[in-house]
């Protein structure tokens, strides 16, 4: 056994154990006094991370429960508002039922006044609770509660949210079908019983009117709207049998509307879904006119003959029931050849007569095959037959009115639509429509983006060429070769093109292969070429035909406006239109509108006339391109916008107007180099509500009967909206229940990790106290042990 003085090992060991005991006692005291097992991260780092995650989830869920309760309170407010609107509908239906009685002898005007105030109160309360179209809560509402998990592509945020879609649960009078858009005829005349000269009976029995109808005993109206526009507009043929007054006229119109909507076509289905109905409109002076209403779609209605034009209020005068004439005519630029004149060897081939406009969504080309011995009489007969047998032209109302040798051709449109008649391949101008050549002389395509001539004389002599770009006005150029060679002729042609802004804009360029000249459009523009006279300097009159200077066709002065856009709808101003003729003059039209959730929806439509697509040669083609793009977008918001043709006055140019039943929309009009296409370029045109539309009324027995039916449907719609609100309340209640359960279990899980077991810690504290006392005593003895060594030194 050894004894040391310098190093007291026993004391050192005692101090270390005493330190450990003291630290253990301190931790135990902290746990007992705080109630927590984990005081610092070092106590249990992994457990602390898990516990903190649980605590964070609890914070999210606690706020989420408050969110859900707030949402539940909002839905309860909406539910209470809908309950009140239900009572208002009950009152309105009571009033309508009272007015619908044939034995009612009181003042229906008094009933109608209260009825109108009830409808107005419905709108006020719907707005107050935010369930009008475009209202604060008329959208898809999403409330984040928390507690979600990600799986199968669904994020935790999505899974932790509860949504209720109120975008289709609006309860204002328009949404309930009690108010809508209305297209109304001219109200300056009375087609009721107030004026014998312009009454329905007088109109339907007027010889001028009946003589204008396509089918005896029927009159035609044409409707255009989303999904049934352009050449797919809906013709409603109204049976006039038994029609003696405005009331049974409306009955027959509605029967015809129902029949048209039951057809098997896609556009007929869209028309049926629009829910258009005819109605009698009585103004403040008592004058009656017919109107057409819809609660769900904007639309345009047009007269198809003079009789329907008169029924829409467009009569010759207040004392003459004849409808204003709708016919529009196009007269050839010059007279046709004299009778028995033949086309001759230089004119033999294919003559193409093109029709465009009049709601034609693309040009209609009629090809007439003529031989050298074909007479003008035979050609005119063939043309008349071809027009009469072409279903597309007949549907557009285009006919041949005059086809007599020696007189100018006259074409007509029975619906008052503007159109053009152009030709190519008639190198000797036998038809009086011009002597433009087709792509290969006397045969081939109507127009072209490149054309090759034949061997010319290429003398240093002048030749006059006329070139029509995209069907536009012929541009006349006189070309004299700079030298008596094909190269000199080519140089002179290019100089003439460069000097003419229209031809330069079309990118026309002349080239040669040493034998013949080819004219090409570098922009893909289509054009027609006419060699005036009988010379063949440049090789574009190899048949030595006698071309004539082009003379423009003559359009008639135009007809009075015979179509009406539905009032109460969103409409843009009338936008001008000019044909896009150059291949590089693309124009982008951008339509934007907010959906029911307030999210902006947008669609860009490109109008162009090049080798890719030619959709803007006429206003009708442009409208068709826009409407086709809108419908093919399959966007339920943009599908509600439609472009329609309109004009400011009888002789005015046809332009484009956009209409919709949406709360608002905008049309961005792009620019192009020539400024052609839709006007107001570089601007954004915002649609605005035009007119007041139609509201249910009970001022007559007939209108009251319709109101009773409409109110029954409104109650069903209200019930559907309220069911959505109720379903949302249940969803929020279930979500709160789940969140509360998650909160409880998360708190328990966190407690098991973070909280201290006080029974265990009490035992640990007692243990530490005993060890501390023993350690202090042992340390005292260990510190006194070296003093015992002194006893060895005393001896």
């Amino acid at each position: 056994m050894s004894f040391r003085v310098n190093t007291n090992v026993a004391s050192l060991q005692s101090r270390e154990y005493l330190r450990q005991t003291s630290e253990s006692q301190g931790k135990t005291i902290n746990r007992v006094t705080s109630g927590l097992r984990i005081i610092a991260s070092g106590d249990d780092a992994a457990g602390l991370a898990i516990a903190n995650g649980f605590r964070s989830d609890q914070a999210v869920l606690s706020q989420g429960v408050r969110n859900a309760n707030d949402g539940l309170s909002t839905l309860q407010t909406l539910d209470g508002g809908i309950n009140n609107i239900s009572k208002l509908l009950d009152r309105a239906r009571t009033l309508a039922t009272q007015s619908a009685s044939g034995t009612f002898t009181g003042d229906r005007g008094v009933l109608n006044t209260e009825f109108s105030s009830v409808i107005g109160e419905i709108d006020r309360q719907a707005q107050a609770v935010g369930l009008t179209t475009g209202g604060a809560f008329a959208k898809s509402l999403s409330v984040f509660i928390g507690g979600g998990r990600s799986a199968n592509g669904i994020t935790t945020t999505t899974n932790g949210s509860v949504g209720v879609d109120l975008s289709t649960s609006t309860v204002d009078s328009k949404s309930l079908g009690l108010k809508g858009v209305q297209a109304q005829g001219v109200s300056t005349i009375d087609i009721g019983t107030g004026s014998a000269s312009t009454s329905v009976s007088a109109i339907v029995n007027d010889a001028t009117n009946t003589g204008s109808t396509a089918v005896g005993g029927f009159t035609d109206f044409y409707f255009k709207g989303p999904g049934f526009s352009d050449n797919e507009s809906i013709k409603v043929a109204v049976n006039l049998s038994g029609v003696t007054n405005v009331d049974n006229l409306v009955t027959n119109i509605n029967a015809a509307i129902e029949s048209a909507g039951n057809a098997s076509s896609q556009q007929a289905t869209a028309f049926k879904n629009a829910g258009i109905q005819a109605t009698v409109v009585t103004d403040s002076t008592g004058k009656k006119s017919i109107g057409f209403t819809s609660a769900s779609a904007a639309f345009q209605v047009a007269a198809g003959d003079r009789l329907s034009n008169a029924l829409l209020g467009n009569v010759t005068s207040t004392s003459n029931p004849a409808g204003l004439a709708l016919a529009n005519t196009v007269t050839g630029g010059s007279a046709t050849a004299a009778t028995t004149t033949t086309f001759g060897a230089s004119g033999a081939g294919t003559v193409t007569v093109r029709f465009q406009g009049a709601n034609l969504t693309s040009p209609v080309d009629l090809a007439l095959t003529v031989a050298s011995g074909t007479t003008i009489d035979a050609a005119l007969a063939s043309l008349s037959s071809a027009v009469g047998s072409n279903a597309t032209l007949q549907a557009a109302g285009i006919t041949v009115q005059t086809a007599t040798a020696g007189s100018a051709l006259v074409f007509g449109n029975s619906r008052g639509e503007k159109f053009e008649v152009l030709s190519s391949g008639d190198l000797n101008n036998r038809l009086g429509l011009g002597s433009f050549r087709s792509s290969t002389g006397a045969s081939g395509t109507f127009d072209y983006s490149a054309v090759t001539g034949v061997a010319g004389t290429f003398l240093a002599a002048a030749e006059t060429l006329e070139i029509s770009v995209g069907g536009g006005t012929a541009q006349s150029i006189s070309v004299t070769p700079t030298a008596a060679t094909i190269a000199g002729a080519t140089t002179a042609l290019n100089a003439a093109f460069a000097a003419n802004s229209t031809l330069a804009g079309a990118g026309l360029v002349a080239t040669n292969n040493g034998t013949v000249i080819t004219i090409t459009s570098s922009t893909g523009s289509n054009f027609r070429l006419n060699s005036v006279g009988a010379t063949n300097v440049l090789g574009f009159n190899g048949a030595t035909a006698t071309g004539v200077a082009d003379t423009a066709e003559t359009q008639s002065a135009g007809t009075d406006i015979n179509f009406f856009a539905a009032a109460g709808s969103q409409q843009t101003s009338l936008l001008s239109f000019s044909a896009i003729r150059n291949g590089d003059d693309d124009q982008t039209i951008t339509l934007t509108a907010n959906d029911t959730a307030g999210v902006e929806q947008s669609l860009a439509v490109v109008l162009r006339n090049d080798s890719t697509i030619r959709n803007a040669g006429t206003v009708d083609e442009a409208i068709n391109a826009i409407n086709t793009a809108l419908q093919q977008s399959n966007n339920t918001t943009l599908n509600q916008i439609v472009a329609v043709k309109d004009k400011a006055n009888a002789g005015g140019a046809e332009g484009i107007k956009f209409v919709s039943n949406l709360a608002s929309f905008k049309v961005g009009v792009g620019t192009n180099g020539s400024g052609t296409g839709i006007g107001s370029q570089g601007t954004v045109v915002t649609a605005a509500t035009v007119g007041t539309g139609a509201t249910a009324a009970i001022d007559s027995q007939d209108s009251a009967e319709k109101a009773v039916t409409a109110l029954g449907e409104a109650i069903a719609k209200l019930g559907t909206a309220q069911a959505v609100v109720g379903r949302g309340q249940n969803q929020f209640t279930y979500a709160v229940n789940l969140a509360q359960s998650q909160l409880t279990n998360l708190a328990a899980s966190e407690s098991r990790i973070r909280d201290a077991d006080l029974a265990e810690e009490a035992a640990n504290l007692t243990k530490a106290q005993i060890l501390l006392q023993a350690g202090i005593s042992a340390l005292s003895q260990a510190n006194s042990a070296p003093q015992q060594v002194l006893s060895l030194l005393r001896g």
Side-chain angles (χ1 to χ4, degrees):
M1 182 177 182
S2 60
F3 295 92
R4 298 176 180 82
V5 176
N6 289 336
T7 302
N8 190 342
V9 175
S11 176
L12 293 174
Q13 290 176 337
S14 297
R15 285 206 308 270
E16 174 60 20
Y17 286 128
L18 185 61
R19 181 189 67 76
Q20 293 177 7
T21 301
S22 179
E23 287 183 358
S24 176
Q25 184 186 41
K27 287 183 178 180
T28 302
I29 291 173
N30 284 340
R31 288 171 179 169
V32 171
T33 55
S34 69
L36 299 175
R37 182 180 71 84
I38 304 174
I39 305 298
S41 59
D43 295 338
D44 184 354
L48 181 62
I50 296 171
N52 285 343
F54 287 156
R55 185 173 61 188
S56 178
D57 288 345
Q58 291 176 71
V60 171
L61 282 168
S62 295
Q63 181 59 50
V65 169
R66 289 193 288 273
N67 291 349
N69 284 328
D70 290 344
L72 189 58
S73 298
T74 298
L75 291 181
Q76 288 170 344
T77 300
L78 300 182
D79 193 30
I82 293 175
N83 280 332
N84 212 43
I85 290 174
S86 178
K87 296 176 183 177
L88 289 169
L89 288 177
D90 292 343
R91 178 56 184 165
R93 203 174 190 193
T94 299
L95 293 169
T97 303
Q98 185 179 6
S99 180
S101 173
T103 58
F104 179 75
T105 57
D107 187 352
R108 285 190 170 89
V110 174
L111 295 180
N112 191 55
T113 299
E114 182 182 354
F115 183 85
S116 298
S117 67
V118 170
I119 299 300
E121 181 62 14
I122 288 174
D123 285 335
R124 190 195 70 79
Q125 294 197 13
Q127 181 178 350
V129 298
L131 285 181
T132 54
T133 302
F137 299 114
K139 57 187 178 182
S140 182
L141 303 176
S142 179
V143 176
F144 181 68
I145 298 175
R149 294 289 182 269
S150 60
N152 301 321
I154 301 175
T155 65
T156 54
T157 301
T158 302
N159 184 245
S161 301
V162 174
V164 54
D165 187 2
L166 299 177
S167 58
T168 59
S169 298
T170 50
V171 294
D172 55 291
S173 61
K174 185 174 183 180
S175 300
L176 295 176
L178 301 177
K179 182 183 294 184
V181 299
Q182 176 175 276
Q184 180 183 342
V186 178
S187 59
T188 54
I189 66 166
D190 185 2
I191 67 171
T193 57
S195 173
S197 58
T198 57
S199 67
V200 168
S201 179
I203 290 172
V204 299
N205 289 295
D206 181 81
T208 301
N209 289 338
T210 56
S212 70
T213 60
V215 178
F218 288 81
T219 187
D220 298 333
F221 294 89
Y222 287 85
F223 291 84
K224 296 179 181 180
F228 53 99
S229 58
D230 318 314
N231 66 331
E232 293 183 340
S233 61
I234 298 298
K235 182 177 81 170
V236 173
V238 181
N239 189 341
L240 299 175
S241 176
V243 172
T244 57
N245 57 55
V246 67
D247 295 310
N248 50 40
L249 169 65
V250 164
T251 299
N252 283 22
I253 292 175
N254 283 330
I257 288 174
E258 182 179 1
S259 176
N262 288 332
S264 58
S265 65
Q266 191 171 5
Q267 59 266 28
T269 301
F271 175 65
K272 183 176 183 178
N273 292 338
I276 298 172
Q277 285 287 299
T279 185
V280 179
V281 180
T282 305
D283 68 10
S284 58
T285 65
K287 292 179 180 178
K288 293 186 177 181
S289 60
I290 58 171
F292 299 90
T293 65
S294 171
S296 60
F299 63 94
Q300 182 190 62
V301 59
D305 48 54
R306 296 184 70 165
L307 201 158
S308 57
N309 206 20
L311 291 174
L312 287 174
N314 287 321
V315 294
T316 303
S317 69
T318 55
S319 60
N320 187 345
L324 292 173
L326 297 180
N328 187 54
T329 60
V330 171
T331 304
S334 60
T336 60
T339 183
T340 71
T341 302
T342 62
F343 277 76
S346 60
T350 301
V351 176
T352 303
V353 180
R354 169 167 288 186
F355 297 84
Q356 56 188 26
N359 285 323
L360 296 173
T361 56
S362 61
V364 174
D365 291 342
L366 299 182
L368 306 177
T369 302
V370 296
S372 60
T374 301
T375 64
I376 182 63
D377 308 85
L380 291 174
S382 295
L383 177 60
S384 298
S385 175
V387 171
S389 61
N390 187 284
T392 303
L393 294 180
Q394 292 304 299
I398 295 176
T399 59
V400 177
Q401 293 188 353
T402 302
T404 304
S407 300
L409 276 166
V410 180
F411 303 89
N413 181 272
S414 60
R415 290 163 55 188
E417 302 278 1
K418 291 188 175 181
F419 65 103
E420 294 179 293
V421 184
L422 309 171
S423 76
S424 71
D426 185 11
L427 302 186
N428 293 307
N429 194 31
R430 296 292 190 255
L431 295 177
L433 299 175
S435 55
F436 287 99
R437 59 173 287 159
S438 55
S439 60
T440 55
S443 63
T445 59
F446 174 82
D447 52 9
Y448 26 80
S449 58
V451 63
T452 300
V454 297
T457 63
F458 305 123
L459 298 174
E463 180 177 355
T464 298
L465 295 182
E466 288 186 333
I467 299 176
S468 169
V469 178
T473 302
Q475 303 297 308
S476 178
I477 56 175
S478 180
V479 182
T480 302
T482 57
T485 63
I486 190 172
T490 303
T491 300
L493 263 175
N494 283 326
F497 293 156
N500 184 291
S501 60
T502 299
L503 303 183
L508 296 190
V509 178
T511 58
N512 71 77
N513 64 0
T515 303
V516 296
I517 295 176
T518 298
I519 299 175
T520 305
S521 169
S522 61
T523 63
S525 305
N526 271 359
F527 61 93
R528 291 176 297 153
L529 183 147
N530 177 31
S531 175
V532 180
T535 59
N536 188 35
V537 174
L538 303 173
F540 292 103
N541 192 11
T544 62
T546 305
V548 299
D550 185 57
T551 303
E553 62 189 17
T554 302
Q555 290 266 359
S556 61
T559 61
D560 281 72
I561 297 173
N562 63 313
F563 35 69
F564 304 87
S569 63
Q570 290 281 312
Q571 303 178 22
T572 64
S573 56
L574 179 62
L575 302 176
S576 63
F577 180 85
S578 59
I580 295 178
R581 306 196 188 279
N582 291 343
D584 59 354
D585 278 342
D586 295 0
Q587 182 186 34
T588 301
I589 307 300
T590 306
L591 298 105
T592 57
N594 290 341
D595 62 16
T596 53
V599 179
E600 184 177 270
Q601 305 295 314
S602 179
L603 175 69
V605 183
V606 179
L607 301 180
R608 60 202 305 173
N609 195 347
D610 57 24
S611 56
T612 301
I613 189 170
R614 304 189 187 278
N615 63 9
T618 66
V619 64
D620 302 279
E621 292 176 16
I623 288 174
N624 176 66
I626 294 169
N627 287 333
T628 299
L630 285 168
Q631 292 304 308
Q632 290 182 351
S633 70
N634 293 322
N635 184 298
T636 55
T637 298
L638 299 178
N639 283 167
Q640 298 178 59
I641 303 174
V642 64
V644 296
K645 187 164 56 176
D646 205 343
K647 54 186 178 181
N649 51 61
E654 293 176 333
I656 298 176
K657 180 181 288 186
F658 294 85
V659 300
S660 177
N661 207 34
L662 294 170
S664 65
F665 69 94
K666 297 179 180 180
V667 180
V669 185
T671 60
N672 62 19
S674 299
T676 54
I678 297 180
S680 300
Q681 295 192 358
T683 65
V684 176
V685 182
T686 301
T689 302
V690 176
T692 57
T695 304
I698 58 171
D699 52 354
S700 68
Q701 182 178 351
D702 179 65
S703 62
E705 290 173 350
K706 292 179 180 177
V708 171
T709 302
L711 285 163
E713 295 172 353
I715 291 171
K717 292 176 182 177
L718 187 73
T720 300
Q722 192 163 20
V724 175
V725 173
R727 184 167 65 246
Q729 291 182 64
N730 290 336
Q731 282 182 272
F732 285 152
T733 300
Y734 298 144
V736 168
N737 292 341
L738 176 61
Q740 292 287 13
S741 174
Q742 289 174 306
L743 271 172
T744 300
N745 291 319
L746 284 170
S749 299
E750 183 194 7
S751 175
R752 281 190 286 269
I753 297 172
R754 194 188 296 274
D755 292 349
D757 183 343
L758 292 182
E760 180 182 352
E761 298 305 329
N764 289 338
L765 182 59
T766 300
K767 174 183 173 182
Q769 289 172 341
I770 294 171
L771 289 175
L772 185 62
Q773 293 173 7
I776 291 172
S777 176
L779 178 60
S780 176
Q781 294 181 29
N783 287 337
S784 63
Q787 296 178 359
Q788 305 300 322
V789 178
L790 295 177
S791 63
L792 298 176
L793 300 177
R794 293 184 184 138

